[in-house]
Amino acid sequence: MTKAPPPHLLRWLWRGYLAPHWRLLAVAMVLMAFEGSSLALFAAMMQPMFDGIFVEGRVEALWTVGLAVLAIFLVRAATSFGHRVLLTRISEVTAAALRGDLLAHLMRLDGRFHQDNPPGYLIERVQGDVAAINKIWAGIITGIGRDVVSVIALFAVALSVDWRWTLIALLGIPVLVTPALFAQRYVRRRARQAREVAAKMSTRLDEVFHGLETVKLNALEAYQSARYKALIRDRVRTETRAAAGQAAIPSLIDVMTGLGFLAVLFYGGAEIIAGNKTVGQFMAFFTAMSLAFEPLRRLGNITGLWQSAAASIERMQAIFAATPSVTSPARPAPAPQGPPRIELAEVHLAYDDTPVLRGATLTAEAGRMTALVGASGAGKSTVFKVLTRLVDPQSGSVTLGGVPVTDMALPDLRAMFSVVTQEAVLFDETIRENILLGRTDISDDRLMAAVEAAHVADFLPQLPLGLDSPAGPRGSALSGGQRQRVAIARALLRDTPVLLLDEATSALDLRSEALVQEAVARLSRGRTVLVIAHRLATVREADSIVVMEAGRVVDQGRHDELLARGGIYAELERMQFRDAG
Ligand code: ADP
């Protein structure tokens, strides 16, 4: 654990996010400096006010002193307003940039990373940690721009009155150092814990809301509430401790100030009584010291804040330091034209020590439909992932039209596939947006043609806003069959040379099923299709069937050939396929 905040963190933040705004920052700091020095001017006015007006009774001094004080406060009002607005703007803009970069980076990272770091945790990183960082640097800049200037200017006033008084007032500082350092380390540790708990809380919420039906069906409400409450207790404890550590530093400054005042009062009071100093001088000194107090406390607070921000920055840097293992090659090969032949040869893939593909070898002919069959867990979906490079195998070759998938740029590679899976993932947007996925080059006619062909048009009349009805979170406003049809419409518009299709395992109602099949048949035309088949009708129609078992391809052929050979396929046919054909 480091005592002082590591300077490279601050440098990282500055270079990446603040430096581009240095002009605005400079203006804000100048305004802050004005605000900061106004207090010292005010303190300096105490001397003419007391000596000139109150003691000597000079009426004309009323005007000069009064107007000067008014001017000081007007400048202060204008400058503090200005720098606050500027700083808020800069901090919002930089937070937006940091969040944008984080999101972009997170989307590039591997499935592995996302398995280790659940969504709730990452949401907390993007939202909570960025907010924490923002708060601290706004604090640091205001500290440097305004509070340091205030303190220096106020001490200058105090020193101009009497340097010995100033020294006496500051006698307590050395006593302050050790406890302050100790408090800082404590805050850092607690702040880390607090961020950790916050992330766990987000993860819990995310899981509860995503699995709400499971929670209800299994009567897990009390269980989930209890788990969340336990985290809340943790959070209350760590946050309170972190805050206590943070509050300790300004409190130490209070103690020091109180002692300083007492000493000055005794020493300075004696000098005034002896007639060596005027009341005005004492008042100017006293005001300067009392006003120095607040900015000093705030500066003391910054170190505590910094400790807590450093915990957030470290975590964020750890995320930025994670690199994706699936990347585009430096000099990508062009993607093959037209529907490609797909080949996997001796592909081995393991998650940690669990082998998932164990030398899988298969071919899907160009422009034909190849069915993948096999028991659940055999590795069929993993074949899709390897083709689209959601994950790279440890060994073996994967080629499309003879081009290894790793030789193509990732966007080019993925542009070759439409993936329609049973959990057709829709976004919480309208159906139209879910089909278009941000594309603006699609004419309404083309869109409507796809909507018709995918049989989405059939259920639109039942929806209140038709194509502009919301799909609900993860498409929950639609039925399984409807979701699939939306995904098919999406795929029709993508118009890719390869279609990867995962048939629904659970039976849709007959009509829905027939509509989906017809839509799929339209979508399949003229493409290389790889389908994870659950229906007998599909395997019968397929040009070739690949039989998988435990990460290997154990047979490949047409339905009748495979049946004739008996073995695994014959068994699968008996156990697995749903319809009567
Ligand atoms: P299928 O589609 O044939 O049902 P999958 O390809 O989905 O099979 O999965 C094959 C095996 O790989 C399963 O045993 C599954 O538990 C395992 N698996 C899949 N994804 C992961 C992962 N991210 N981490 C660890 N194991 C995984």
Side-chain angles (χ1 to χ4, degrees):
M1 173 150 313
T2 38
K3 271 185 206 149
H8 68 270
L9 294 182
L10 199 54
R11 218 165 35 232
W12 170 76
L13 208 56
W14 168 258
R15 287 214 188 117
Y17 298 94
L18 293 182
H21 304 287
W22 71 268
R23 283 186 195 82
L24 272 190
L25 264 179
V27 174
M29 303 237 335
V30 168
L31 294 179
M32 286 173 195
F34 268 107
E35 189 195 336
S37 42
S38 66
L39 287 180
L41 288 175
F42 176 68
M45 295 312 293
M46 289 298 131
Q47 192 172 344
M49 193 191 293
F50 274 83
D51 290 346
I53 303 173
F54 302 146
V55 178
E56 292 169 23
R58 282 191 286 118
V59 180
E60 78 283 2
L62 258 181
W63 277 103
T64 46
V65 172
L67 288 178
V69 170
L70 178 65
I72 289 169
F73 277 96
L74 289 181
V75 168
R76 191 175 154 79
T79 53
S80 91
F81 177 82
H83 77 68
R84 262 168 240 268
V85 174
L86 277 181
L87 207 59
T88 305
R89 160 133 190 104
I90 300 169
S91 78
E92 287 305 319
V93 171
T94 51
L98 189 50
R99 290 195 171 115
D101 287 357
L102 259 179
L103 177 62
H105 183 72
L106 284 169
M107 286 193 294
R108 286 176 54 230
L109 292 178
D110 298 345
R112 180 59 207 256
F113 176 90
H114 288 277
Q115 228 168 348
D116 295 342
N117 301 276
Y121 179 90
L122 297 177
I123 290 171
E124 187 55 35
R125 295 282 86 86
V126 175
Q127 311 267 27
D129 281 326
V130 172
I133 292 179
N134 234 16
K135 199 163 96 185
I136 172 63
W137 82 251
I140 291 182
I141 288 170
T142 321
I144 298 171
R146 183 186 64 191
D147 296 334
V148 170
V149 172
S150 294
V151 169
I152 292 175
L154 288 165
F155 274 114
V157 172
L159 283 170
S160 76
V161 174
D162 195 315
W163 64 269
R164 279 161 308 166
W165 290 7
T166 315
L167 263 189
I168 292 170
L170 297 180
L171 273 183
I173 282 190
V175 188
L176 195 80
V177 175
T178 322
L181 283 181
F182 180 77
Q184 272 186 20
R185 285 176 53 167
Y186 181 81
V187 171
R188 174 84 158 249
R189 216 163 39 232
R190 295 293 162 219
R192 244 193 223 126
Q193 280 176 0
R195 305 304 312 149
E196 203 53 53
V197 176
K200 280 190 195 150
M201 288 174 72
S202 299
T203 304
R204 204 97 307 286
L205 288 182
D206 181 65
E207 283 186 2
V208 167
F209 296 141
H210 276 145
L212 200 54
E213 290 188 357
T214 315
V215 168
K216 286 184 178 168
L217 290 175
N218 292 289
L220 293 178
E221 291 91 342
Y223 171 72
Q224 290 290 4
S225 290
R227 287 179 74 182
Y228 193 66
K229 274 187 194 144
L231 285 175
I232 293 177
R233 272 197 298 279
D234 263 7
R235 169 153 198 171
V236 170
R237 197 169 51 235
T238 45
E239 289 282 2
T240 313
R241 285 184 183 169
Q246 259 182 36
I249 297 168
S251 296
L252 286 168
I253 292 175
D254 281 352
V255 172
M256 179 207 85
T257 317
L259 292 175
F261 265 127
L262 185 70
V264 171
L265 193 61
F266 271 98
Y267 187 79
E271 281 191 284
I272 293 173
I273 293 167
N276 295 337
K277 282 269 190 311
T278 65
V279 176
Q281 281 175 314
F282 185 82
M283 282 314 294
F285 179 85
F286 195 83
T287 311
M289 290 311 272
S290 354
L291 289 176
F293 190 43
E294 209 30 55
L296 257 185
R297 284 175 50 138
R298 274 198 300 263
L299 286 173
N301 205 13
I302 284 181
T303 63
L305 272 179
W306 171 248
Q307 297 304 322
S308 107
S312 294
I313 299 179
E314 273 169 3
R315 233 178 275 273
M316 205 153 292
Q317 278 202 313
I319 290 181
F320 279 121
T323 50
S325 66
V326 175
T327 52
S328 294
R331 259 172 299 155
Q337 294 298 311
R341 175 185 154 101
I342 296 174
E343 259 189 284
L344 268 70
E346 280 301 311
V347 173
H348 284 266
L349 182 137
Y351 292 107
D352 294 324
D353 292 334
T354 318
V356 175
L357 293 181
R358 303 192 296 174
T361 300
L362 65 90
T363 314
E365 293 301 335
R368 298 295 168 85
M369 179 193 277
T370 304
L372 285 179
V373 301
S376 154
K380 304 179 295 293
S381 318
T382 310
V383 169
F384 284 9
K385 288 192 187 167
V386 164
L387 281 170
T388 49
R389 291 194 73 202
L390 287 179
V391 53
D392 279 341
Q394 274 88 21
S395 67
S397 89
V398 182
T399 56
L400 293 180
V403 185
V405 288
T406 44
D407 284 3
M408 289 177 239
L410 277 178
D412 292 348
L413 171 70
R414 290 183 182 149
M416 295 191 67
F417 297 97
S418 291
V419 184
V420 178
T421 64
Q422 35 180 322
E423 71 258 24
V425 178
L426 305 194
F427 299 104
D428 190 2
E429 299 173 332
T430 64
I431 295 176
R432 181 195 300 274
E433 287 165 328
N434 264 298
I435 295 175
L436 288 174
L437 289 184
R439 287 175 62 175
T440 49
D441 58 334
I442 308 276
S443 68
D444 268 0
D445 287 348
R446 241 188 108 193
L447 173 64
M448 288 327 289
V451 164
E452 290 285 343
H455 288 296
V456 169
D458 300 29
F459 64 86
L460 288 182
Q462 303 156 26
L463 300 174
L465 299 171
L467 209 47
D468 292 306
S469 308
R474 311 227 261 181
S476 54
L478 303 181
S479 75
Q482 292 173 337
R483 277 203 291 274
Q484 254 192 347
R485 286 185 261 165
V486 170
I488 291 170
R490 198 190 255 179
L492 279 167
L493 287 183
R494 268 174 74 82
D495 193 19
T496 58
V498 185
L499 168 65
L500 302 180
L501 174 69
D502 189 353
E503 283 189 321
T505 37
S506 53
L508 303 170
D509 63 272
L510 283 180
R511 191 177 134 66
S512 223
E513 180 87 53
L515 293 177
V516 168
Q517 281 321 308
E518 200 185 288
V520 165
R522 283 187 189 149
L523 178 58
S524 303
R525 240 167 267 150
R527 306 177 207 276
T528 305
V529 182
L530 206 52
V531 50
I532 297 180
H534 298 289
R535 301 171 66 251
L536 191 57
T538 310
V539 289
R540 280 197 174 151
E541 277 164 29
D543 297 296
S544 176
I545 302 167
V546 171
V547 186
M548 291 192 73
E549 191 189 45
R552 289 199 188 87
V553 173
V554 291
D555 212 347
Q556 178 157 11
R558 290 191 60 96
H559 178 66
D560 302 335
E561 294 166 28
L562 294 174
L563 264 192
R565 261 178 246 164
I568 295 179
Y569 184 75
E571 193 159 319
L572 273 174
E573 202 243 18
R574 212 162 34 80
M575 315 263 300
Q576 273 216 316
F577 296 128
R578 270 200 278 111
D579 47 21

